[in-house]
Amino acid sequence: MDQKKLREFLNDMSLDEKIGQMVQVLCLFHEKEGVITGPENTAGYTEEEIRNAGSVLGSCGAAMLRRVQDNYMKNQPHHIPLLFMADIINGYRTVFPIPLAQGCTFNPELVQKAAAVAAKESAAAGLHLTFSPMVDLVRDARWGRVMESTGEDTYLNQCMAKAMVEGYQGTGSLTDKGKIAACVKHFAGYGAPTAGRDYNTVELSERTLRDNYLPPYKAALDAGCATVMSSFNTLDRIPSAANKKLLREILRSEMGFDGVVISDWGALDELIMHGIAKDREEAAGLAAEAGVDIDMMTTCYSRHIKKQALDNQKYLELIDEAAFRILQLKNKLGLFENPYKDADEAEEAEIILCSEHRNEAKEAAIESMVLLKNDNILPLKKNGQKIAFIGPHVNSRLIYGAWSIFARPEDTVTLMEGVNSLGIKEAVFANGCAMVDSIDATEINNTKIDPEVHEKLRKEALDYALNADVVVLALGEHPLQTGEAASRAELDIPKPQLELFRQVYEVNKNIAVVLFSGRPLEIKEISDKAKAVLEVWMPGTEGGNAIAEVLFGDAVPSGKLAMSMPYCVGQVPVFYSEFHTGRPYAGSEGKGRYFSRYLDIPNKPLYPFGYGLSYTDFEISKVRLSSNELTKESSLEASVTIKNIGSFTGKEVVQLYIQDKFGSVVRPVRELKGFQKIELKPGEEKEIVFSITEEMLRFYDINMNYVSEPGEFNVYIGNSSDTQNGKSFVLI
Ligand code: BGC
């Protein structure tokens, strides 16, 4: 429909209809007959409010969504179609590794493919829009939602944000088959809650916000992301859903975004809890003024914005503005012509979990695993080695992460199944212990098992361990220990599992740990004692196959940490691109007390950002620069030669870091500015070239101008963020 017609359409709509477009309710309400009075209706919607709401969330399924659409459009006075949204974060039914793990692939192409598969499957199931990508920068592993982000680094998150948007939406039209609209979230700064506690206050300087936290959202918008979700948190003490400066000035004026902004779940009601609105009427007014177009799951707009509008013309204009944006989104998706979009039962049956999708999920899982340590124990031998696979994750199907709301356990391959399908004969399997004990959050108490059963499990496991040549211990977090509302003050492996580790260690020291987690954990003891540690995160549907292939050397690990692994929890937030202090502590060489340091632990994390081993070794030459001067008009080339000097074909991530030595404000000690992932056969070598331009050196200076400053810079190229392989140049 052309813009003129769409405008006429809007002009013909009643005020109630327009307000209806601005309300989002659960799809579940439409799936049942009559008024929803059950516990799901927490907002207390009336039947009329549900009938008027212009978008719904949380459900998929071609046949059901077609039916819901038909019923809705029949009653909508202008037959405006309903918009279907849901959280498809790392896959629909074919589940890919969690986004944090996808960050560790350092492979945007692969991440784009993962998003494209998620879009294809969910589009066939009738979905129009996913609440992804989540690009909140995350540096505090206590926060449960770090699993949803691609990590601690601005540049890496920018690359992944773009990749995901292009995967979901494609680069053509949103009407294209198998494409869905993306929604970048949570705008802004949600990844920095004080003390890592979910929904807590965010205190960021405007400079850090702009330099480090905003660019990934901007990258998603530059890639054409159709919608934005505002965050729960405050910034400068203003909750985002009421933050005019954030949503109108920064998002709309500066970043040029003219699409739909949706609030996060219940966030308008939370303006009252935050204490900046005394009631829902005021909350509705504040959100509309800030530029929130859709109110997710409260009655603020549906019940209270009308009164404001009747009292004050300004609100009528805001309603028109919001309703028009929503109509435009529906139009971009082609819903006026085809309200079902790609909902198709036959297609659903054909493509969901097809072997092509499963293969891509397996590839992504393989590339996302990070080999943290390996004292010549991996890869395992397929024959002639007795291997005991022990731990509560050996048989667990819940390995796809907290947001995989459409995933089904029965579709997931466990580690045991993966090992068996490689035909490994001399392998035994035992759970060993319960995943968590009663100290953990109440929701997961029901996984507790009685002491007698526990003792039996432990005994069986120790017998196996005693008789094995190698023990693979599959340990880690319970899936409910990660995700939203899953902040943790301790980052340790759950107690029963740590005890199991210690007991196994007493009888067999040949241990390789396979670590399942939604966040970097505190693993000092495990890393000291085990001979190998393979971090597999929450690897998704094909997790078991992917892990087995890596363990037995059919695939070679190549993941790099997208978030630093802390030495211990007292160190977090810990990240490589910290700022220079006035008392830098140079580790073991720096002696004395009065430095920026801890008395009891090192400053450095256990494993830094960008770190990860392979089964092969790579040699990286010294950095070469095409010139030691850079001007605003020119560029310079920084290059290295990388050679595979080991005996496996493998992939390495060559990383470029730049340090601005002096600035008008304190600069980070170094920042990632480029990376290339390449595959090399044994003996093969390749030249890797990065182009450095003045634009890459910009930041918010003392006057809050986004500029570069002439002076000296260091360039580092290596295979982790602590590489010392560097050279310097001058920007003139
Ligand atoms: C989360 C969002 C999510 C929304 C809808 C909220 O609780 O913060 O990330 O998209 O629910 O499910």
Side-chain angles (χ1 to χ4, degrees), residues 4-21:
K4 197 168 149 255
K5 249 180 125 189
L6 206 62
R7 204 31 96 184
E8 282 167 14
F9 211 80
L10 178 81
N11 294 340
D12 199 50
M13 284 162 69
S14 68
L15 183 56
D16 286 328
E17 269 183 277
K18 290 177 191 169
I19 294 172
Q21 292 301 309

Side-chain angles (χ1 to χ4, degrees), residues 286-503:
L286 285 172
E289 278 183 56
V292 171
D293 301 311
I294 299 181
D295 170 7
M296 187 198 291
M297 289 302 289
T298 85
T299 53
C300 289
Y301 279 177
S302 61
R303 233 167 266 181
H304 303 281
I305 197 80
K306 188 171 177 182
K307 183 167 179 310
Q308 307 258 41
L310 296 176
D311 291 349
N312 184 341
Q313 168 75 19
K314 176 178 84 180
Y315 289 102
L316 275 181
E317 284 162 20
L318 291 175
I319 291 170
D320 271 5
E321 181 191 65
F324 191 61
R325 279 199 204 105
I326 297 159
L327 292 184
Q328 271 180 315
L329 175 61
K330 292 184 176 183
N331 195 33
K332 276 191 196 152
L333 283 156
L335 300 184
F336 290 104
E337 289 76 28
N338 174 13
Y340 312 111
K341 180 96 170 71
D342 304 323
D344 181 338
E345 277 181 276
E347 173 100 357
E348 239 180 341
E350 193 188 321
I351 65 165
I352 286 174
L353 288 161
C354 64
S355 58
E356 192 192 322
H357 291 180
R358 278 187 174 273
N359 266 337
E360 292 197 19
K362 190 177 78 178
E363 282 313 308
I366 288 170
E367 287 214 17
S368 71
M369 290 173 200
V370 186
L371 182 62
L372 296 171
K373 177 179 178 181
N374 187 17
D375 285 347
N376 293 322
I377 188 171
L378 295 180
L380 303 167
K381 297 189 183 67
K382 285 185 177 167
N383 294 303
Q385 203 174 38
K386 281 190 282 175
I387 310 169
F389 287 84
I390 296 173
H393 279 91
V394 164
N395 272 307
S396 173
R397 294 188 190 281
L398 302 176
I399 53 173
Y400 33 70
W403 269 112
S404 301
I405 50 180
F406 300 101
R408 297 187 188 163
E410 63 270 28
D411 298 331
T412 308
V413 180
T414 65
L415 174 54
M416 183 170 100
E417 289 165 348
V419 172
N420 283 336
S421 71
L422 288 184
I424 309 297
K425 297 268 168 340
E426 293 172 87
V428 288
F429 304 90
N431 284 353
C433 66
M435 207 173 275
V436 286
D437 67 11
S438 54
I439 304 164
D440 292 282
T442 43
E443 291 101 311
I444 50 182
N445 274 350
N446 55 12
T447 59
K448 205 175 131 190
I449 50 173
D450 79 56
E452 240 176 75
V453 178
H454 189 269
E455 187 46 35
K456 242 174 110 184
L457 287 177
R458 200 186 58 90
K459 206 177 155 306
E460 176 194 44
L462 292 183
D463 283 349
Y464 285 163
L466 194 63
N467 292 309
D469 298 319
V470 180
V471 181
V472 174
L473 271 174
L475 308 174
E477 289 183 298
H478 187 287
L480 286 176
Q481 287 179 299
T482 80
E484 186 174 350
S487 294
R488 295 180 63 198
E490 307 284 356
L491 296 179
D492 51 0
I493 289 173
K495 216 166 90 209
Q497 300 187 52
L498 198 55
E499 273 167 16
L500 178 72
F501 173 82
R502 288 174 182 152
Q503 287 165 345

